[in-house]
Each structure stands twice: as structure tokens, then as C-alpha cells.
Amino acid sequence: MAMAGLYRRILPSPPAIDFASSEGKKLFTEAIHSGTMEGFFKLISYFQTQSEPAYCGLASLSMVLNALAIDPGRKWKGPWRWFDESMLDCCEPLEKVKDKGISFGKVVCLAHCAGANVDAFRTNQSTIEDFRKYVMACSTSDDCHVISSYHRGTFNQTGTGHFSPIGGYHAERDMALILDVARFKYPPHWVPLALLWEAMDTVDEATGLRRGFMLVSRRERSPALLYTLTCKHESWITTAKYLTDEVPVLLSSDYVKDVKNVLSTVFTSLPSDFAEFIKWVAEVRRKDDGDQDLSQEEKGRLAIKEEVLKQVQETGLYKHVTDILSSENLVCQIKQTLGPQDSLTNIAASVCCQGAGIFAGKSGTSDRFCCRETSVRCYSATNIDKSITVVSGTVVNGIGEQGVDMLVPLSQTEASCCSIGSCGYSGMHPASSDVLTALLLALPPETWSGIKDKEVLQEIFDLVSIQTLPPLLQEEILHLRAQLLMLKRCKDNKVEDDLGAPQI
């Protein structure tokens, strides 16, 4: 049966007061003079309409994250990093949210994973007095914002469960301003705070739990400059299960005699789709970009990213990982799980292996060689309008290792891969050894506790301990660990029971 088209709804008033009405404007002016509209201006600057009828939770959170100037660390569109509903894909697949909406606990999970500080309360875990105190605190500051989860029926509005940020507070009238993200349906409106509490103090039929509110604020420095997890690809389920459930069993059931044996046990059993699990979301830019196109702020951010990467490579664990990845017997087996076969890294590795075969007098043969590291550089000649690409790599085989440089010709119809001058980008994406080192550091300490040999166990604990890491890297690793634990808790449907950040 076809549904008639709808253009907005008439806001039931009372109990709500339209923000743009004469009375709404009067409340707004009085609240400004009372100092309880400070949070409004940041929120209204990033006010958005939910793009799907069931995206109210995602729209509310992305609006608040942008108002707090939290950098998502990954691109939205073009070169821009920006929180959008489509990027809040952890904890629940977007298609499922589009169909059924999202629970209070999973919005809290998303806020944690985005790198925000979150304090969340269901109504049976708080009081109306506490709620009023928090609304007042966030309304007199632009450093935190409140997202409310409530039932529309309490306000005589159509619909059921809904999320929206609270944009301000009128103390004398005890009224809160709801910046309704379903702007196609209802405009922003003032409601009595006591009635809003009543609307929150309802049961979500999907979970059987009370609704509530959350306070979202910005951390002193947003982590996830280099690493972040994504559950946009279903591979994260198998990988998270492997890392948190299967690895401890593997290490306790097999007798591991040294650190190399421990790491080999972990690496050789990685799920085949492991590469989709962990993403380098803040790519190391081309050197010429760092000199020309980036703002001073971005150059500073790039310098911090490079420092984090340097600190990863200075850990004792990193040396063990690189030694494992360069082992003749293991490198090819491991690298098959680290990236798609048509990735730039794998193509470059294939080219280098073919070159090594040629140098060894075995033209066309590459299967006896494995490429430990690769880089791709593109150069433009000074006097001619042509470019060349040089692929470099370190190739290992049963005899030893050798450096290989291969010149890759470009057809004249291909666009130049860089502008005038050299645009080498050997650091375009950090190597597999960097990714694996960070991920091993991020695993919970109890992961290793099943190792039977006490000396090996102590050596592993010393290598994966984050206590001695520089503060910058320590913060990055702790955030990665929190994401791993939070996403696992989310997939295990445990976020509804515990709204706090995971203990790491």
C-alpha cells in the first residue's frame, strides 16, 4: 500500500514551545542573559538533519562530535576529515540502523570509539536533580554537550524513541531546548525539563532497558592519529575473536620456547581477511604535500603522526616483529594475510621479486623470493614532460637479502603521477611490521598469561608493556586497546549493561 507524502508535522504546543515563536525567542533571549546558552552556539554551527528516518542517534552524535572539534582521523569526502552519519559504522551495521534504529548503549559505544569522553546514565542510574545539574553545566559551557534519548509520545508527538542534543536551558522556567535532528518533522523546541525526564524514563522495547542521557566532551588530545579500528567490514568479527579468544588458547596449548616462537604462533594463524580489520587512517603524506599544500596546523599534525610512527619503530617489540616478517619460511605466508593482492604494496613486492629473479638468472621466476619492505617513488624529468616510477625493495631468499630497484615505464597516455620534481612517498602507508607491532601492544595483558615457560612469559610481558612507552605512543596504544575491547563488548551485546569505557 502506497504511503502519502508528508511535509513536516505541527508541533504539539503545549507542552513544547517552538524555538522560532515569539515565546520561544523570549526564552532564548532570557537564557542568553542568564548565561545558560553557551553550548548552543557551537551546536547550532554544526546542526544537521538526520539523513534517514532512523538515523537520529547517528545524526545527534556526529553533530556533537563536530561541535567539539574532534578530528575523526579519517576522510569523509575529498580531502576532508569530518564526522558524518555514514562514518559511525562501528557497533552496528548502517543497514541495520537504517531499518531498526540504534540503542542507547550503542550510541554510547560509538562516542567512546570516536575518541570522546562520555558519561552516560540511564534514568534508573540517575535522578532528575542530577540531570538538571548536568544540563546546567553543559549549557554554561561549550566544552560538553548533552544527548538525550527519549520517547516522543510524552510530548504528544508522533513516533516513539528518539535522540537529539540539548541546546540550552532556561533556569527560571526550568525548560530545556531540544535541537531536534529530525528537522523535516519538528523544529527545535523548548520543553519542561521535568517532562523531558519523564520522556527519558521510559523503556526501550528493543532492549528492555530505560532510556537516558549522555554527556559528551573532548579529550585534551584526540588519539587515533595513526591507528583506528573499523567494523565496516565484517572481517573484524573473525579477527577480534581470534585476537581476544583464540590467541590465548593457542599460546597456552602449544609449548612456545622463545619470543620468536610466540610471535610466529600468532602471525601464522591470522585470519585470511585480517587486512580489513586495522586501518592506517591517517596516511603519511607525500613530502612535497608537507611543504606546499598543508596548513601549519596540518603540518604540525603530520609531525606528530611521524613521531608516533618513529616511537613504534623504536620499541623492542618492533625488532622482533621485523625479524619474524623477514624470515624466509614465514614472510610469504604472513604477507598473504596483510593486504589485498592488488594493493600497491603487493604489486611493488611482486615487481621486486621478479627483478630479483632476473638478477639471479631466472627470468620470470619470483616465487623463490619474498619482499620484506617496498617503496614506490615517482620522478618528473626537469626538461621533458614525462614521469618515471621506481619501485625499490629488500628481497630475501634462502641465501640472504639484497636491495632491488626496478624502473617501471609509464605509457604516454597515462597521467603523470606527480607534479614537477621528485615526489617520493616511501612512507605513504606504514609497513606491516608497524601495524602488527601496534596491534600486539594493544592486546590486553592477559592475552599472554597462558604461556607456560615463565622466562618466555616474562620476556613477552617486558616487550608488550606500555608502562615504559613515551606518553604520545602510550596514549595511542591505550586508545587502540579501548576500541578493541569496546567493539568486542558491542558485538557480544554487552554495551547495554555497562555504559562506561572499558577498563584497560
Side-chain angles (χ1 to χ4, degrees):
M1 180 178 177
M3 180 181 293
L6 297 172
Y7 179 70
R8 307 187 67 178
R9 294 282 192 187
I10 296 175
L11 180 70
S13 181
I17 299 172
D18 190 329
F19 177 67
S21 67
S22 297
E23 187 176 1
K25 293 175 183 178
K26 182 173 183 291
L27 290 170
F28 177 67
T29 303
E30 292 171 351
I32 286 179
H33 290 154
S34 298
T36 54
M37 294 299 295
E38 292 302 308
F40 170 83
F41 297 99
K42 285 287 181 68
L43 284 173
I44 205 66
S45 298
Y46 303 98
F47 197 2
Q48 68 185 74
T49 303
Q50 62 190 77
S51 61
E52 295 285 347
Y55 272 12
C56 55
L58 304 185
S60 297
L61 182 57
S62 60
M63 174 178 163
V64 165
L65 293 172
N66 288 327
L68 290 168
I70 294 177
D71 190 332
R74 56 179 171 143
K75 293 175 183 177
W76 163 58
K77 292 182 181 180
W80 300 105
R81 298 192 305 274
W82 182 256
F83 275 110
D84 177 72
E85 299 154 311
S86 62
M87 296 175 65
L88 298 174
D89 52 9
C90 295
C91 303
E92 199 80 294
L94 292 177
E95 284 303 311
K96 185 174 180 180
V97 179
K98 184 177 178 179
D99 182 45
K100 300 181 180 298
I102 191 168
S103 68
F104 181 72
K106 290 190 175 179
V107 174
V108 174
C109 169
L110 284 170
H112 281 299
C113 288
N117 284 324
V118 190
D119 293 305
F121 308 90
R122 298 188 188 278
T123 52
N124 59 334
Q125 301 169 324
S126 185
T127 65
I128 187 173
E129 289 78 15
D130 287 335
F131 177 55
R132 183 179 289 108
K133 178 183 68 176
Y134 289 131
V135 169
M136 173 74 81
C138 287
S139 296
T140 55
S141 166
D142 58 10
D143 294 332
C144 72
H145 300 291
V146 179
I147 296 176
S148 174
S149 171
Y150 59 95
H151 196 288
R152 283 192 181 277
T154 307
F155 304 128
N156 300 321
Q157 298 173 4
T158 63
T160 53
H162 191 55
F163 289 89
S164 279
I166 295 177
Y169 178 65
H170 191 292
E172 187 175 341
R173 296 275 299 272
D174 194 28
M175 299 190 81
L177 175 62
I178 294 179
L179 295 178
D180 198 327
V181 291
R183 292 194 287 178
F184 52 83
K185 186 175 184 180
Y186 293 119
H189 47 274
W190 294 92
V191 295
L193 184 135
L195 197 60
L196 176 56
W197 175 264
E198 184 180 327
M200 293 190 303
D201 194 25
T202 53
V203 174
D204 179 356
E205 293 182 359
T207 63
L209 299 170
R210 298 275 169 179
R211 296 181 170 88
F213 63 97
M214 66 189 80
L215 283 67
V216 186
S217 58
R218 178 190 170 106
R219 296 178 180 175
E220 185 174 343
R221 183 191 73 82
S222 296
L225 287 172
L226 284 177
Y227 299 95
T228 191
L229 301 182
T230 175
C231 54
K232 190 171 186 177
H233 192 283
E234 286 300 310
S235 64
W236 101 263
I237 299 175
T238 56
T239 302
K241 183 177 187 299
Y242 171 72
L243 292 171
T244 56
D245 297 340
E246 296 176 22
V247 165
V249 175
L250 279 174
L251 296 177
S252 61
S253 59
D254 292 345
Y255 184 80
V256 288
K257 59 184 180 181
D258 54 29
V259 170
K260 180 178 180 180
N261 197 200
V262 171
L263 298 183
S264 298
T265 300
V266 175
F267 292 168
T268 54
S269 300
L270 287 169
S272 60
D273 52 4
F274 170 76
E276 293 297 329
F277 178 57
I278 185 165
K279 302 288 187 181
W280 285 98
V281 296
E283 74 273 16
V284 177
R285 305 298 182 95
R286 295 184 181 187
K287 296 301 181 183
D288 59 336
D289 284 346
D291 293 335
Q292 297 175 17
D293 297 334
L294 298 182
S295 65
Q296 286 301 118
E297 180 184 3
E298 281 296 287
K299 288 179 181 178
R301 187 173 184 273
L302 177 61
I304 295 175
K305 289 190 293 184
E306 291 177 338
E307 179 61 25
V308 172
L309 182 57
K310 177 183 175 185
Q311 290 176 2
V312 169
Q313 295 171 352
E314 289 174 345
T315 63
L317 181 61
Y318 177 81
K319 183 179 185 305
H320 286 280
V321 171
T322 53
D323 287 345
I324 290 289
L325 292 185
S326 62
S327 168
E328 178 195 0
N329 295 326
L330 290 173
V331 64
C332 292
Q333 180 181 354
I334 294 170
K335 279 187 176 289
Q336 288 176 356
T337 69
L338 296 181
Q341 294 303 307
D342 59 351
S343 70
L344 178 61
T345 301
N346 281 326
I347 292 171
S350 177
V351 169
C352 289
C353 289
Q354 290 175 24
I358 293 172
F359 294 154
K362 298 175 182 178
S363 179
T365 300
S366 63
D367 56 353
R368 294 184 59 190
F369 299 90
C370 288
C371 204
R372 187 173 67 186
E373 299 293 343
T374 60
S375 65
V376 181
R377 287 183 168 83
C378 174
Y379 298 94
S380 284
T382 304
N383 299 322
I384 58 175
D385 188 23
K386 289 185 178 180
S387 299
I388 59 172
T389 299
V390 177
V391 175
S392 303
T394 302
V395 177
V396 296
N397 59 13
I399 302 174
E401 65 178 47
Q402 66 184 93
V404 178
D405 292 319
M406 293 289 291
L407 179 64
V408 182
L410 298 180
S411 68
Q412 293 185 3
T413 58
E414 288 178 329
S416 173
C417 60
C418 57
S419 57
I420 296 175
S422 169
C423 57
Y425 52 100
S426 59
M428 194 64 170
H429 294 284
S432 304
S433 51
D434 306 309
V435 177
L436 287 168
T437 300
L439 187 55
L440 291 174
L441 288 170
L443 292 178
E446 57 269 21
T447 302
W448 316 98
S449 57
I451 296 175
K452 296 181 176 64
D453 189 304
K454 299 303 180 185
E455 291 186 8
V456 176
L457 177 61
Q458 185 58 54
E459 189 174 357
I460 284 290
F461 275 151
D462 290 342
L463 286 171
V464 301
S465 171
I466 65 170
Q467 301 305 316
T468 58
L469 296 179
L472 191 64
L473 179 57
Q474 186 177 111
E475 187 175 2
E476 195 79 13
I477 294 301
L478 285 174
H479 178 67
L480 182 60
R481 182 181 296 174
Q483 279 193 311
L484 174 65
L485 296 176
M486 178 60 74
L487 293 178
K488 184 176 187 300
R489 185 199 295 176
C490 189
K491 287 297 182 183
D492 290 343
N493 291 317
K494 294 180 179 178
V495 290
E496 306 299 342
D497 302 324
D498 185 0
L499 299 174
Q503 297 299 311
I504 56 177

